[in-house]
Amino acid sequence: MQTIAERLDNARKSIKDATINAQRNVDSVQLLAVSKTKLVSEITQAYKHGHRMFGENYIQEGVSKVKEMSAMADIEWHMIGPIQSNKTKDVATYFDWVQSIDRVKIAKRLNDQRPESLPNLNVCIQVNIDDEPTKSGVSVNEVDTLINEIKTMPRLSLRGFMAIPKADAELQTQIASFKKMQGLFTDYSKLHAEFDTLSLGMSNDMNLAIQHGSTMVRLGTAIFGARSYSNN
Ligand SMILES: *Cc1c(COP(=O)(O)O)cnc(C)c1O
């Protein structure tokens, strides 16, 4: 069995290879290690191997890890799961990024609750690119309104988009949604110079994502191995 350190090395190499294949700059894609359901001891192994960006899906679980690992103060914690409005205070207090913004109400609460002692909260709008009824995120035609609302919120820094293209689609269908997401990001980056993040791609579709402009892949299984349970 591979260690977490070995898997991290492999993932870094795969990302590098994919950027070269896509004729992109080798450092144009960041790696977010998705540590949901994984233990603090496992995250610590990745930390000791030099990794600093971790993503969590479940608020309670994520907050308890952030607290427990507070001595590793240079970790950048990303919330990538759905946010209930009664949990926004914890998210605003303990996370550095929220990639799963899908309504004004949540953005507004995060803005109001971001502690003054902390820098702005970095946020991405989650786009439901394939209009899947079971998935969170706004549809493409709602993006504009949400951007304009968020841009009035002084404690949030809007960095771009996050999406989870449909996993089980035919390759051509999958490519079509990656292209759509890339086009959306390109268009809005022209309007909003501060947009620098297209969070796209997971363990199974990372290469396709990097071919289509992803600037951040979110890898869980590839780094930490299969998840033995899910609390969702
Ligand atoms: C779980 C999860 C991931 C990681 O998925 P893997 O297939 O294990 O790489 C990435 N993004 C989101 C939003 C997730 O919920």
Side-chain angles (χ1 to χ4, degrees):
M1 232 189 58
Q2 284 185 311
T3 64
I4 287 170
E6 286 165 346
R7 290 204 206 92
L8 255 178
D9 285 340
N10 290 339
R12 287 170 183 156
K13 171 135 196 339
S14 305
I15 291 170
K16 190 176 167 207
D17 291 346
T19 55
I20 292 168
N21 273 332
Q23 296 181 302
R24 296 180 52 192
N25 201 312
V26 285
D27 52 16
S28 58
V29 182
Q30 291 184 291
L31 167 58
L32 181 70
V34 177
S35 45
K36 64 182 178 209
T37 81
K38 297 296 172 180
L39 304 170
V40 164
S41 59
E42 295 172 294
I43 305 173
T44 303
Q45 288 175 46
Y47 182 87
K48 286 187 174 156
H49 201 59
H51 202 71
R52 295 295 181 268
M53 291 169 60
F54 296 93
E56 289 285 334
N57 280 61
Y58 312 110
I59 295 168
Q60 245 174 327
E61 178 189 331
V63 167
S64 87
K65 288 175 186 172
V66 176
K67 286 182 183 166
E68 217 178 315
M69 299 182 74
S70 60
M72 298 170 217
D74 55 351
I75 293 183
E76 188 178 274
W77 290 101
H78 292 235
M79 174 47 60
I80 59 174
I83 297 166
Q84 306 77 20
S85 57
N86 62 342
K87 302 261 180 67
T88 49
K89 189 153 195 278
D90 267 350
V91 176
T93 305
Y94 292 104
F95 283 81
D96 304 295
W97 282 68
V98 178
Q99 299 195 10
S100 42
I101 302 280
D102 62 357
R103 46 206 154 119
V104 175
K105 183 183 174 190
I106 296 295
K108 193 170 181 325
R109 290 177 66 91
L110 292 171
N111 177 67
D112 294 345
Q113 293 169 336
R114 180 68 170 172
E116 263 180 47
S117 58
L118 296 177
N120 272 16
L121 184 64
N122 298 292
V123 300
C124 291
I125 292 174
Q126 183 174 352
V127 181
N128 186 354
I129 194 66
D130 297 311
D131 287 316
E132 292 176 85
T134 55
K135 249 176 217 161
S136 318
V138 295
S139 57
V140 168
N141 60 21
E142 295 168 317
V143 163
D144 215 60
T145 311
L146 190 50
I147 290 178
N148 291 330
E149 291 276 359
I150 292 173
K151 288 194 68 157
T152 68
M153 302 178 188
R155 300 307 325 277
L156 303 186
S157 294
L158 183 57
R159 304 289 294 268
F161 300 130
M162 186 268 264
I164 311 170
K166 206 172 170 182
D168 54 0
E170 294 277 328
L171 181 61
Q172 286 314 314
T173 315
Q174 227 181 338
I175 289 174
S177 43
F178 278 97
K179 276 201 193 323
K180 202 162 135 191
M181 208 51 233
Q182 180 175 29
L184 196 72
F185 182 65
T186 307
D187 290 349
Y188 278 102
S189 302
K190 285 178 193 148
L191 299 171
H192 306 282
E194 71 278 17
F195 275 28
D196 58 5
T197 305
L198 176 57
S199 172
L200 194 62
M202 321 204 316
S203 297
N204 286 329
D205 56 10
M206 183 192 91
N207 287 315
L208 216 46
I210 292 174
Q211 279 163 32
H212 293 92
S214 169
T215 69
M216 192 188 294
V217 292
R218 308 178 308 269
L219 307 185
T221 314
I223 309 275
F224 294 107
R227 287 178 287 275
S228 50
Y229 73 96
S230 160
N231 55 11
N232 203 8

